[in-house]
Each structure stands twice: as C-alpha cells, then as structure tokens.
Amino acid sequence: MNKCQGCGVLCENNLCERCFRIKHYNDYKVVSKTNEDFIPILKNISQSDDLVLLVVDLFNIGNLSLIRKYLKNDILLVLTKRDLLPRSVSFDKLFNYDYGIDYVDKIIVSSNKNYNFDELLSKINKYKKTDKVYVVGFTNAGKSTMINKLIYNYSDNKTEITTSPLPSTTLNTIEIKLNNITLIDTPGLLSEGDIVNYVNGNELKKIIPKKEIKPITYQVKGKQTIVVDNYLLIEASDIDLTFYMSNNLKIKRYYKKISTNLKKHIIEVNNNDIVVKGLCFIKTNKKSILNVYTLDNVLVFTRDSLI
Ligand SMILES: Nc1nc2c(ncn2[C@@H]2O[C@H](COP(=O)(O)OP(=O)(O)O)[C@@H](O)[C@H]2O)c(=O)[nH]1
Ligand SMILES: [Mg+2]
C-alpha cells in the first residue's frame, strides 16, 4: 500500500480518488474525522526533539493552548493569511499580540502572497534540532498550503499536498522533502464551535474570506440592531462596532428590534474584540453589554483586540 501524496490515506496509487476529484473537479467529499485521531499524533511528536511549526490563521486564531498542551517540543509560531487582514494593520500590533502560549520564535507570513517565506525558511533552519520538522495547527489554518509554497519556492520536488476550504482535507501524516529537511504535514485539530462545521459548501464560499478584508464600522447611537446575512444579529447601544469578515457577507443596520431564531449570548465588552468563531471578529471601543445572536453551536467569546 502507498500513502496518498495529497492527504496521506493508504491507497493503491500516488493520489487517492478523493484528492484527484478535489484537484481536478473542485469536487469535495466531506470526511468526518474527530480529534481522537489527531491527539495521538501530537503525543507521538512530543516524544521527539523535532521542531514544530504551529500554523495559525490570523483571521481565525483559535485556542492554541489546546494544541500546545500535548507538545513539549520547541515551537515556531507561523502566523499566516496576513493577506486577509487590511494592509493598514500595524505589524507591531500583530507581532506583539499575546497568542496565549510559549514558543521559541514567531513569524508572520502569507502563502497566497508568498510573503516572508525567505525569512520562514531561515527561521526553520535556525531552530531545527533534527532533520524532521512537524507542521501542526487547527484544520484550515493553512498548513498544507504553506508546505506546498515552501516546496515550490525552494526545491525541485513536484509533489503537492491537497488543500481545500473544508476541514479534514489532510487525513494522515504526510512526509515531504524540502532538500535536507523532511516536513511532516498533519491533519490538524478540528476547531470546535467554528461556523465552518455547521454550514454547507455554498455558504462556506460566502463566509470564508479570500481577499483583503474591508472593515465596516457602525457608530451605534441609541439602541440599534446590526444583522449579518442569516448568521449574526447584534443588539447594541451607544458604541462603535467594527466588523472584520468576508466582503461577500451582507450587513445591515436597523433602528428597531428584529425578531430572530438565532441563539442569544449576552456579551460584556471592554474595548476588546467579540469573536464569532469562523465568521467574524468585531472591534469595540468602550465598555458595554450587547446581545449577540448566532447559529446554535457557534462559539461567541471576547479577546484582547487584535488590531
Ligand atoms: N487568503 C489566504 N488563504 C489561505 C492562505 N493559506 C491557505 N489559505 C486557504 O485556507 C484554506 C485551508 O488551507 P489548507 O492549506 O488546506 O489548510 P490545512 O487544513 O491547515 O492544511 C484553503 O482554502 C487555502 O486556500 C493564505 O496565506 N491566505
Ligand atoms: Mg491540510
């Protein structure tokens, strides 16, 4: 048996049927995996001295300690998808943000824009203790895309790992040579409470940002309701709210109450961000209490403001 070059499952050929279809027809077949499959992989990595690249989607950061807690290894934090956040965002603010875990170093990159990859390769070489380097993170963080970019930029290797906007594209560990280094891609931890787990393919296309986000600010005076498509409704009063989300989502302001079937969360803010996981984050400018309504299983929480 071979391992599929695209996703790592055992199969007869170099590429399994599912990866072939994703690659040539953009035809996705959702495979449901659970974290039971991934945690043993992390524990196994932890037995080694190998450097770990923890890849983080800057638009959808997630609780990194859920991954860190299984790993004793040195971690290079790779903050990717820089291209999604507005160009005007300060480098220092993003770089010095508290990502909630310890690491040996960090770097901001964009695989789509090929931004900062020379620096990434040089940091990998600086911190690696062995010839193996593991790549971990949440599903959809951009791990496989980053590896493909490294391989494309710096080696003659023609293999490509399958990437897609759906969770669980990479199904098993995949080893891929980057000259003297063996990069090892992993399936990634499922991001619980993320909206991508609860919507269909067409909705995903609208929700997942692909281009630089254009933030939208509402200066709410008195009581108002802000509605984002069928996914989010916010009741707020006397506060500035700046929405960071896909430019394809429709947002509308009402000067009255709007009825909704979405699930209610009462959220206290204090100059920080409200995160609706996978959908958006909303920067606020004062202390206040808001009603935030969204889909049933989607997590809503606050964090220090990223931007
Ligand atoms: N805008 C943007 N999208 C990216 C970037 N890197 C990956 N993506 C997209 O994010 C999605 C998940 O990428 P993938 O590499 O499959 O994630 P993995 O599950 O961590 O391996 C795909 O739709 C990619 O095209 C990036 O630097 N910028
Ligand atoms: Mg992958």
Side-chain angles (χ1 to χ4, degrees):
M1 278 282 192
N2 283 328
K3 251 190 189 182
C4 167
Q5 282 171 2
C7 70
V9 290
L10 295 175
C11 70
E12 301 288 347
N13 307 310
N14 289 336
L15 205 61
C16 74
E17 194 188 326
R18 175 171 155 275
C19 284
F20 183 86
R21 296 193 70 87
I22 293 178
K23 192 169 170 182
H24 296 286
Y25 309 118
N26 245 326
D27 171 12
Y28 306 116
K29 188 158 145 208
V30 178
V31 175
S32 51
K33 293 285 263 182
T34 67
N35 287 334
E36 254 90 291
D37 302 310
F38 186 55
I39 288 162
I41 296 177
L42 289 177
K43 288 182 175 161
N44 203 31
I45 297 171
S46 195
Q47 308 281 316
S48 73
D49 258 348
D50 305 329
L51 176 65
V52 171
L53 307 185
L54 174 48
V55 177
V56 178
D57 176 350
L58 278 168
F59 174 67
N60 191 1
I61 295 170
N63 181 355
L64 302 180
S65 61
L66 290 178
I67 295 176
R68 186 37 159 157
K69 69 177 182 193
Y70 294 106
L71 295 169
K72 293 197 292 284
N73 311 58
D74 284 353
I75 285 186
L76 174 60
L77 199 59
V78 181
L79 307 163
T80 191
K81 306 197 192 181
R82 169 64 184 92
D83 59 292
L84 291 179
L85 299 180
R87 232 161 293 204
S88 57
V89 171
S90 131
F91 176 88
D92 286 350
K93 185 101 197 261
L94 281 183
F95 195 74
N96 297 323
Y97 189 74
D98 180 4
Y99 292 95
I101 57 160
D102 66 296
Y103 44 80
V104 289
D105 203 352
K106 65 190 152 185
I107 181 166
I108 298 176
V109 304
S110 160
S111 302
N112 279 20
K113 297 276 188 235
N114 209 356
Y115 164 68
N116 231 0
F117 271 65
D118 288 355
E119 184 80 11
L120 174 59
L121 183 63
S122 97
K123 284 195 194 268
I124 292 171
N125 279 309
K126 178 171 175 192
Y127 294 108
K128 78 182 175 65
K129 292 182 179 161
T130 67
D131 291 337
K132 278 187 172 178
V133 175
Y134 283 91
V135 180
V136 307
F138 288 104
T139 56
N140 282 328
K143 299 179 291 300
S144 302
T145 310
M146 179 203 73
I147 292 175
N148 286 339
K149 205 60 167 186
L150 280 167
I151 305 288
Y152 179 85
N153 286 347
Y154 306 111
S155 83
D156 297 327
N157 194 338
K158 292 278 181 302
T159 42
E160 228 184 71
I161 300 170
T162 307
T163 63
S164 89
L166 292 179
S168 300
T169 305
T170 310
L171 296 177
N172 206 338
T173 55
I174 306 175
E175 299 197 358
I176 188 158
K177 282 270 180 220
L178 177 65
N179 307 320
N180 55 327
I181 304 168
T182 303
L183 290 175
I184 302 166
D185 196 11
T186 64
L189 204 69
L190 288 173
S191 161
E192 274 168 38
D194 195 299
I195 197 164
V196 305
N197 300 321
Y198 309 111
V199 297
N200 65 36
N202 282 333
E203 294 182 285
L204 268 185
K205 285 192 191 130
K206 218 164 42 171
I207 289 173
I208 296 182
K210 283 180 201 63
K211 290 197 298 199
E212 180 179 329
I213 289 169
K214 295 188 179 67
I216 303 167
T217 300
Y218 286 98
Q219 294 179 315
V220 176
K221 305 250 190 310
K223 285 189 183 168
Q224 296 179 9
T225 308
I226 315 277
V227 177
V228 178
D229 264 296
N230 302 320
Y231 308 117
L232 180 68
L233 184 152
I234 297 183
E235 293 167 347
S237 55
D238 300 309
I239 189 169
D240 289 0
L241 299 176
T242 303
F243 289 76
Y244 292 83
M245 60 188 186
S246 164
N247 304 327
N248 299 326
L249 288 164
K250 298 253 177 315
I251 185 163
K252 202 163 181 284
R253 170 178 9 206
Y254 298 87
Y255 297 88
K256 56 174 185 186
K257 272 210 156 201
I258 300 289
S259 72
T260 178
N261 294 322
L262 297 169
K263 182 175 165 192
K264 179 175 176 176
H265 304 257
I266 299 168
I267 302 290
E268 213 177 317
V269 296
N270 189 2
N271 276 298
N272 49 5
D273 289 348
I274 304 168
V275 179
V276 184
K277 204 167 175 191
L279 180 71
C280 68
F281 62 91
I282 303 154
K283 190 176 161 71
T284 70
N285 71 335
K286 58 183 283 203
K287 204 171 160 151
S288 184
I289 294 176
L290 304 90
N291 294 330
V292 177
Y293 302 77
T294 190
L295 303 185
D296 264 357
N297 298 306
V298 175
L299 268 182
V300 180
F301 57 93
T302 60
R303 67 169 184 203
D304 289 350
S305 76
L306 176 68
I307 287 178

